[in-house]
């Protein structure tokens, strides 16, 4: 499943850089770029027969309409919305969360970039130090269990993007791609 999801992400990025190059180079707002990428992500997921999942930008709800939360590294409850998530909106309890994406422009403050990376580490954890263990039946109190997390840092001046991949709460690899 990880390989398939990584492929879906890569194919979505291919389309994103082709179709949205003018928007990227014109320095449009990050929310606009995330919304556009979400469209490509959802379409590619459906093409690859990942049914019942949606790519939502800025989605911040969980069961019963409550605001999504995570536990930070100090185990404090933090409200959360991620730039883009590919998930079943709680309808496929066995594997609700597939991909979480955070996007930043390279000229943003380092504190914001680190906050996004921290969020991806939390979202891709299997559990919170055994406070919740994924059983495939009950949704967690705090959001976790994303199979993959991707951090994207767009550098308009150099026309490239830094990518970092997160799995199970750790960064597994990074790469740079020109656009």
């Amino acid at each position: 499943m990880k390989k398939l999801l990584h492929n879906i992400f890569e194919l979505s990025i291919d389309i994103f850089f082709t179709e949205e190059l003018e928007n990227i180079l014109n320095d449009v707002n990050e929310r606009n770029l995330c919304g556009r990428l979400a469209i490509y992500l959802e379409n590619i997921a459906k093409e690859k027969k990942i049914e019942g999942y949606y790519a939502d930008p800025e989605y911040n709800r969980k069961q019963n309409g409550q605001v999504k939360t995570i536990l930070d590294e100090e185990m404090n409850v933090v409200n959360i919305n991620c730039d883009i998530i590919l998930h079943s909106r709680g309808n496929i309890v066995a594997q609700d969360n597939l991909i979480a994406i955070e996007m930043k422009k390279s000229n943003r403050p380092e504190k914001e970039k680190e906050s996004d990376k921290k969020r991806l580490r939390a979202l891709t954890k299997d559990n919170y130090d055994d406070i919740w263990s994924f059983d495939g039946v009950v949704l967690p109190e705090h959001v976790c269990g994303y199979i993959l997390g991707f951090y994207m840092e767009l550098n308009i001046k150099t026309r490239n993007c830094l990518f970092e991949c997160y799995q199970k709460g750790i960064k597994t690899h990074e790469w740079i791609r020109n656009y």
Side-chain angles (χ1 to χ4, degrees), residues 10 12 15 28-29 38 40 49 73 78 84 89 95 98 105 116-117 128 133 138 140 166:
E10 289 282 351
S12 303
I15 297 167
V28 299
N29 191 288
Y40 307 128
K49 307 296 186 223
E73 292 169 347
V78 178
I84 305 168
R89 296 180 180 161
Q95 185 60 66
L98 300 181
K105 294 182 182 178
D116 281 0
K117 294 173 187 184
Y128 289 104
S133 180
V138 179
Y166 291 81

Side-chain angles (χ1 to χ4, degrees), residues 95-155:
Q95 185 60 66
D96 181 33
N97 302 322
L98 300 181
I99 297 175
I101 302 170
E102 290 288 358
M103 181 188 295
K104 275 287 177 266
K105 294 182 182 178
S106 60
N107 63 351
R108 299 302 304 159
E110 204 59 39
K111 185 176 180 179
E112 289 180 17
K113 296 174 189 178
E114 286 308 312
S115 177
D116 281 0
K117 294 173 187 184
K118 227 181 195 183
R119 187 174 304 110
L120 289 171
R121 286 193 296 273
L123 289 170
T124 58
K125 287 179 76 168
D126 285 337
N127 62 55
Y128 289 104
D129 300 323
D130 298 323
I131 291 173
W132 173 76
S133 180
F134 182 73
D135 62 7
V137 178
V138 179
L139 290 167
E141 173 66 22
H142 304 290
V143 183
C144 61
Y146 281 86
I147 295 173
L148 294 175
F150 293 100
Y151 173 76
M152 301 175 57
E153 188 173 308
L154 295 166
N155 188 323

Side-chain angles (χ1 to χ4, degrees), residues 18-56:
T18 300
E19 297 296 322
E20 303 304 324
L21 183 61
E22 186 177 353
N23 270 347
I24 295 166
L25 296 177
N26 284 334
D27 201 19
V28 299
N29 191 288
E30 179 188 306
R31 275 174 293 212
N32 174 277
L33 297 175
C34 288
R36 301 300 301 162
L37 177 56
I39 292 167
Y40 307 128
L41 183 68
E42 186 171 308
N43 288 341
I44 295 294
K46 286 180 181 172
E47 283 178 22
K48 296 293 183 180
K49 307 296 186 223
I50 304 292
E51 302 292 332
Y53 288 88
Y54 305 89
D56 287 318

